[in-house]
Amino acid sequence: MNLELKDIDRIIEMAWEDRTPFDAITFQFNLKEQEVINLMRRELKPSSFRLWRARVQGRATKHSKKRTFDKGRFKCSRQRTITNNSISKR
């Protein structure tokens, strides 16, 4: 599969994000989990790949079936919301 540089950059970014499951990458770029792993191995430095692999392995949020929440995004109760370009304390 030939991917553009901007697509490769976005896949790497999504793969590093803790809350982005591999299913989202599959949906958007039609790459299976193993293909993402191979892309990361090819595009990252060996030490960066090892760090990423250790971080992702066993992380429930990267696998939709292991997630503890079903819909939407996780949001911490202490996280502030942005309303009309200002931060509210709701």
Side-chain angles (χ1 to χ4, degrees):
M1 173 180 278
N2 292 333
L3 294 168
E4 294 182 22
L5 187 58
K6 67 180 180 103
D7 293 335
I8 293 172
D9 287 343
R10 181 63 183 136
I11 292 166
I12 291 171
E13 182 181 358
M14 291 173 77
W16 270 105
E17 293 170 348
D18 290 340
R19 302 242 173 237
T20 303
F22 286 112
D23 292 342
I25 298 171
T26 301
F27 178 77
Q28 191 168 350
F29 296 100
N30 200 28
L31 288 177
K32 296 177 184 167
E33 181 178 349
Q34 188 59 49
E35 293 172 316
V36 173
I37 293 169
N38 292 340
L39 181 135
M40 297 294 277
R41 181 177 282 124
R42 185 177 68 240
E43 297 294 328
L44 298 178
K45 295 186 296 185
S47 60
S48 296
F49 174 76
R50 283 191 300 272
L51 285 171
W52 173 78
R53 195 68 184 122
R55 181 183 180 98
V56 170
Q57 227 164 6
R59 185 172 292 271
T61 56
K62 292 303 280 183
H63 304 276
S64 295
K65 292 178 183 175
K66 294 182 181 178
R67 294 181 110 170
T68 58
F69 54 93
D70 294 327
K71 293 184 181 180
R73 293 177 36 196
F74 170 80
K75 182 177 174 185
C76 178
S77 62
R78 295 179 308 274
Q79 183 177 349
R80 294 182 178 178
T81 56
I82 298 174
T83 308
N84 298 329
N85 293 332
S86 62
I87 299 173
S88 67
K89 292 185 179 181
R90 288 191 242 163

